[in-house]
Structures are given as C-alpha cells and as structure tokens.
Amino acid sequence: MNEKLLWAKRLIEEKTEGKQCLQIGWDDMPVVRMTDDCMVGLYFSLKLNRCSGLYDCLVKGYIRTCGGYNPSAIMKDLTEECSRIADLVLQIEKAEIHATEEEIQEFCTLIKKEMEQSNEKDQNNKLCGG
C-alpha cells in the first residue's frame, strides 16, 4: 500500500474535520466528497503520467460559494476555510505523491471497503431507528 496516499486520505479528513473525504467516483478513481456546508472544496485526482508510467496526485482548492454580499461573520468563516484548504493543498503538493497502477487499485479497494462499511452502518441505524 502506498503510505503517502493513506497519509493524504487521513490528512484530508483530519484537516476538514470530516467534512471532506475520499470516496470512489464514477470512473473508479478517488474523488473528494464533501458536506453541503463546505464553502471551499478540495479537488483530488490521480492522473497517469505518460513519461514516468506512474500516477501523479493532483490537488487543488476551489471556492464553492456563489457571489453576493455577505456579513463579516460569513466572510471571516470563508477566509478561515480558504486558509485551511490552502494549507492542506500545500502539504499534499509538497509530498509529491506518485503511485503505481497496482498501488492505486489497492488504495481504491480500501476506500470501497470503507464506503461499504459506512453504508452498512447507515442502513443499520435506519433499521434500528438511530
């Protein structure tokens, strides 16, 4: 297992207080899933580098809110969230994460298992009135 990928996954969850996490997208590759109240999003992808044959981790931040006038409290929250995501992006960029296809498959399998376990918990909570 690629330790840097695991580290990035944990870091994303930790720095966003669980509001953003890696899940498997429609293309069977990791994507960031976030709660609706996130004003700043994180873009995470693994792209094949044709020169090296490895997958390179690309990470970026983006503002999800639409334009408009906001009171100072919301502007302060947005600024703080931007700062947290900027720090997170910088940390992952500095790690220079690269992985083989086999490591990516293993990483994605781990994420799928976690998603299934989470879905099972949600189903049990609904059945038990939780």
Side-chain angles (χ1 to χ4, degrees):
M1 177 68 68
N2 187 302
E3 293 300 319
K4 284 187 176 182
L5 284 173
L6 289 173
W7 168 81
K9 179 184 178 304
R10 287 190 302 266
L11 188 68
I12 291 167
E13 292 171 6
E14 177 186 312
K15 295 292 183 181
T16 63
E17 298 172 348
K19 291 183 176 188
Q20 298 188 40
C21 64
L22 290 181
Q23 292 199 343
I24 299 301
W26 60 269
D27 61 351
D28 286 332
M29 293 295 276
V31 296
V32 176
R33 181 170 182 201
M34 63 193 76
T35 60
D36 290 340
D37 62 337
C38 291
M39 293 184 281
V40 182
L42 183 69
Y43 170 80
F44 179 98
S45 69
L46 297 165
K47 301 289 183 188
L48 179 61
N49 181 325
R50 295 183 192 267
C51 295
S52 69
L54 297 174
Y55 285 80
D56 297 336
C57 178
L58 303 174
V59 64
K60 306 283 183 204
Y62 62 95
I63 297 177
R64 296 180 71 206
T65 59
C66 58
Y69 299 102
N70 293 296
S72 63
I74 292 176
M75 294 302 294
K76 183 177 184 269
D77 290 345
L78 176 60
T79 302
E80 290 170 359
E81 196 171 336
C82 280
S83 178
R84 281 193 307 272
I85 294 297
D87 289 341
L88 177 58
V89 168
L90 182 61
Q91 283 184 278
I92 295 173
E93 284 176 342
K94 282 184 176 180
E96 295 184 9
I97 301 172
H98 309 285
T100 65
E101 186 172 351
E102 293 79 23
E103 289 172 325
I104 300 296
Q105 289 174 352
E106 190 177 358
F107 183 63
C108 290
T109 299
L110 173 75
I111 294 173
K112 285 179 187 177
K113 285 181 183 176
E114 289 179 358
M115 288 171 62
E116 289 169 2
Q117 290 171 350
S118 177
N119 288 339
E120 286 175 13
K121 282 182 185 177
D122 290 346
Q123 289 288 356
N124 287 338
N125 284 340
K126 288 178 184 176
L127 293 174
C128 297

